[in-house]
Amino acid sequence: MRTSQFFISTLKEAPSDAEVISHKLMLRAGLIKRLAGGIYTWMPLGLKVLRKVEKVVREEMDRAGAIELLMPAVVPAELWQETGRWEKYGPELLRFKDRHQRDFVIGPTHEEVITDVVRKEIKSYRQLPVHFYQVQSKFRDEIRPRFGVMRGREFLMKDGYSFHTSFADLEREYKHMYDTYCRIFTRLGLQFRAVAADTGSIGGTGSHEFHVLADSGEDAIAFCPDSDYAANVELAEALAPAAARAAASQAMTKVATPGKTQCADVAAFLGASAEQTVKAVAVMRTEGGFALLLLRGDHELNEIKAEKIIGEFRFAKDDEIVAALGCKPGYIGPVGIKADIPVIADRTVAAMADFICGANEAEHHLTGVNFGRDLPEPGQVADIRNVVEGDPSPDGKGQLGLCRGIEVGHIFQLRTRYSEALNCKYLDENGKEQIMEMGCYGIGVSRIVGAAIEQGNDDKGIVFPAAIAPFEVAIVPMGYHKSEAVKAAADQLLADLKAAGIDVLLDDRNERPGSMFADMELIGIPHRIVVGERGLAEGKLEYKGRRDAEAQMVDAAGIVALLQGKLCAA
């Protein structure tokens, strides 16, 4: 490919509203152009990257035995109403009426549609298992689209769905997809981790997310450096302290703490550490009313864990707290409260002695508080906090570390969540109807492009993995329009590399060398060959890898073999 036959549109500066590095660099490199909030045109350069990601995904899905189809983006509301997600999905679901006033949605995901296909087409156990997948544009009406393609409203996704006669067979396919996804992200040249995750709004039982590791990632991941354990912080278990609760050694004392409402401030005021404090979080349960959640002062509530323990809830309002405890927020605590107020303590709190907490009196806290003496044992003890760096790993093989990740894939064991709602059945060996077991497997194809850039970039621009770079090699001739020798050598090199199956771009623009070098580095081409008169006179070409600090002169006769070796090693 020649630049004169292609379209490259780079910018010296990113638009001011671009936030993360991938958004800035994709706009500067001309990979995407903004049409509306969270909606982008993929320009020719960006589309080449996107198609390369798709190619790897398709090859591995086909290798795994999945069958590709394509479902409609527009879905009748009736299917979503059958599963109950019409009401539950929320404003991210883009709904509209056609000219006949019939309700439709733009599909953000396709569990309903594929289950409708299967319930009509699959009748016998002999036709199972089956795994269908598609690569399709989705739309989710994000309340605040941001970060370019990382959190856009329209995006390209691979979503796959498997159907089975038994949970055991679903587990087999789930493991098969886990391995397939690992191959996909490895082939794409990404540093990633698979982490145990919450099933969220999709539903079902088992779930793993696949995260590209990047400091800018939205998701916090807990992992053990000494083992394979990794989990989303939303799910990672915080183990109970190994040591038993110490005996009380202090008398409970009420102390004045004027203006001190935060645990860290209270601890500093009293000459203690935040680890000696307990904070009470007041909540209103959808079913059950007011309750108190107790956490150590330096720990944070994990709302997903808490919801699994107490059901749906919201944080209590100030007037609700005053009505229940007779005190405004900032000074509330579990001592002396009404017996009918449920108290759920985190595992760490249940093991504490001589702790500090609110006195349920403005401007005051209690010190030396102990369960069993100053207040009843908690009504329930559970894991309701986020893990922190240094917590013991749940697999018993070391301590947890924390890192950031960008979710690019998610697999679920849906079980019968959708097949039961949509009456998706088959006839077993005995001619009896049975509900199918289901799995669901998603990959954010367009998000992978952004995630790869978040992971691979420097002060010059994008550093793409070779597998998804728009071109593998850039040829930059010095004086292409002035020197016949340079032009002939560059044209011949282009032909030789194409014949070798290498995806190559010849920059035949009549631009300054510095401008051409800057563009090739900005768009992230992994290998660059400079063709110049002086080098040709000596039978040499200049080679530079995108990550190399310095260029080197190499024999022109061996350049194709050199590049083939480097691309095979990538």
Side-chain angles (χ1 to χ4, degrees):
M1 179 67 68
R2 300 171 184 269
T3 53
S4 58
Q5 298 169 333
F6 198 61
F7 185 84
I8 294 177
S9 175
T10 58
L11 301 172
K12 284 188 168 57
E13 300 291 337
S16 59
D17 61 344
E19 300 167 278
V20 295
I21 190 66
S22 62
H23 191 194
K24 294 176 181 177
L25 288 176
M26 290 182 79
L27 289 169
R28 281 194 59 212
L31 272 60
I32 57 173
K33 298 292 181 183
R34 183 182 184 275
L35 178 64
I39 302 174
Y40 295 88
T41 296
W42 284 82
M43 300 300 286
L45 205 61
L47 187 61
K48 274 185 66 71
V49 179
L50 197 63
R51 292 291 183 249
K52 289 189 175 185
V53 175
E54 279 186 68
K55 182 175 183 290
V56 171
V57 171
R58 278 195 170 93
E59 286 176 355
E60 290 299 335
M61 291 302 295
D62 294 344
R63 173 185 171 187
I67 305 164
E68 187 172 6
L69 48 60
L70 183 62
M71 291 176 272
V74 175
V75 182
E78 288 84 353
L79 284 177
W80 282 70
Q81 289 162 351
E82 276 191 75
T83 60
R85 289 210 294 177
W86 177 259
E87 295 80 16
K88 292 181 181 178
Y89 202 88
E92 285 186 4
L93 183 63
L94 184 61
R95 310 156 202 252
F96 68 96
K97 293 181 183 291
D98 69 5
R99 67 175 66 195
H100 303 293
Q101 296 304 299
R102 293 176 299 207
D103 289 312
F104 287 85
V105 305
I106 302 293
T109 182
H110 276 66
E111 286 81 7
E112 283 83 358
V113 178
I114 194 64
T115 307
D116 182 60
V117 170
V118 170
R119 70 178 174 180
K120 292 173 180 175
E121 297 294 329
I122 305 293
K123 302 300 181 185
S124 169
Y125 72 94
R126 293 187 180 90
Q127 297 170 278
L128 296 171
V130 66
H131 186 151
F132 295 112
Y133 81 95
Q134 65 173 348
V135 180
Q136 187 208 50
S137 290
K138 309 284 189 188
F139 191 92
R140 294 178 187 169
D141 199 4
E142 295 275 358
I143 187 171
R144 192 168 70 89
R146 59 196 189 280
F147 308 152
V149 301
M150 304 282 285
R151 183 65 70 179
R153 291 195 290 167
E154 183 177 322
F155 53 94
L156 190 66
M157 179 179 175
K158 188 286 296 183
D159 49 322
Y161 309 90
S162 63
F163 295 80
H164 308 267
T165 59
S166 68
F167 179 47
D169 194 54
L170 167 58
E171 289 184 304
R172 174 202 56 76
E173 184 67 5
Y174 185 86
K175 176 62 168 62
H176 187 38
M177 279 297 106
Y178 182 100
D179 294 339
T180 297
Y181 274 37
C182 288
R183 285 197 303 273
I184 288 171
F185 297 121
T186 299
R187 281 189 60 187
L188 292 174
L190 301 171
Q191 292 181 307
F192 70 96
R193 284 201 84 130
V195 304
D198 187 75
T199 56
S201 63
I202 298 294
T205 52
S207 171
H208 280 84
E209 294 173 352
F210 292 79
H211 287 261
V212 169
L213 303 181
D215 292 339
S216 58
E218 288 187 280
D219 296 297
I221 299 168
F223 69 97
C224 179
D226 302 316
S227 72
D228 293 331
Y229 177 82
N232 193 301
V233 165
E234 295 172 344
L235 191 69
E237 181 182 9
L239 298 179
R245 183 197 296 164
S249 63
Q250 300 176 16
M252 185 173 73
T253 306
K254 184 165 68 174
V255 295
T257 52
K260 308 301 180 186
T261 60
Q262 302 295 318
C263 287
D265 296 335
V266 172
F269 182 75
L270 297 176
S273 71
E275 294 179 2
Q276 294 173 265
T277 66
V278 168
K279 59 184 171 186
V281 180
V283 299
M284 293 296 293
R285 296 169 295 165
T286 302
E287 297 180 6
F290 189 87
L292 277 186
L293 308 178
L294 304 183
L295 295 124
R296 200 171 77 183
D298 60 331
H299 287 163
E300 295 298 325
L301 177 68
N302 185 311
E303 294 181 39
I304 290 176
K305 290 181 182 179
E307 187 169 287
K308 290 179 180 178
I309 301 298
I310 65 172
E312 290 186 359
F313 71 91
R314 61 172 172 80
F315 294 107
K317 300 174 183 176
D318 288 3
D319 59 338
E320 293 169 330
I321 295 173
V322 172
L325 302 175
C327 179
K328 66 180 182 179
Y331 302 96
I332 64 174
V335 178
I337 65 174
K338 299 174 185 176
D340 61 351
I341 295 178
V343 175
I344 300 91
D346 181 68
R347 291 168 172 173
T348 306
V349 171
M352 293 175 67
D354 297 328
F355 58 82
I356 301 165
C357 66
N360 290 318
E361 180 181 331
E363 312 288 315
H364 288 80
H365 281 77
L366 299 172
T367 63
V369 179
N370 287 271
F371 288 112
R373 185 193 71 181
D374 307 313
L375 75 166
E377 294 290 342
Q380 188 173 4
V381 176
D383 172 22
I384 57 172
R385 71 172 175 92
N386 287 330
V387 295
V388 295
E389 193 106 19
D391 276 344
S393 177
D395 65 1
K397 296 181 180 179
Q399 294 183 328
L400 291 178
L402 298 179
C403 64
R404 308 297 300 182
I406 301 164
E407 183 191 339
V408 291
H410 204 160
I411 61 177
F412 303 84
Q413 293 174 7
L414 292 177
R415 301 295 308 270
T416 60
R417 161 74 174 83
Y418 296 91
S419 53
E420 192 165 14
L422 291 164
N423 200 33
C424 184
K425 298 178 179 180
Y426 69 96
L427 294 178
D428 67 14
E429 298 93 325
N430 301 313
K432 293 184 177 179
E433 285 191 335
Q434 304 288 350
I435 295 290
M436 296 184 198
E437 295 272 356
M438 283 181 64
C440 171
Y441 319 95
I443 287 180
V445 177
S446 51
R447 179 180 276 199
I448 284 173
V449 179
I453 296 170
E454 289 292 329
Q455 193 173 81
N457 65 81
D458 59 19
D459 58 350
K460 296 176 182 177
I462 300 168
V463 183
F464 271 124
I468 62 174
F471 296 94
E472 294 170 310
V473 177
I475 302 172
V476 182
M478 299 291 97
Y480 183 85
H481 296 277
K482 297 177 181 178
S483 169
E484 285 298 324
V486 168
K487 183 177 186 301
D491 289 347
Q492 185 60 53
L493 181 56
L494 173 66
D496 292 345
L497 292 178
K498 287 172 67 176
I502 294 174
D503 194 8
V504 56
L505 177 68
L506 169 61
D507 194 343
D508 60 352
R509 295 175 296 172
N510 194 12
E511 295 280 352
R512 293 178 296 103
S515 177
M516 292 192 288
F517 290 161
D519 278 351
M520 296 304 108
E521 289 177 321
L522 173 61
I523 64 182
I525 298 178
H527 305 280
R528 187 187 75 197
I529 303 295
V530 175
V531 181
E533 281 190 327
R534 184 180 301 176
L536 288 175
E538 300 174 359
K540 301 284 187 180
L541 298 171
E542 181 186 285
Y543 166 79
K544 185 175 184 294
R546 179 63 181 79
R547 293 183 182 274
D548 295 345
E550 301 291 338
Q552 57 181 302
M553 300 305 292
V554 299
D555 290 333
I559 191 63
V560 175
L562 173 71
L563 290 169
Q564 286 176 320
K566 290 184 178 294
L567 290 169
C568 287

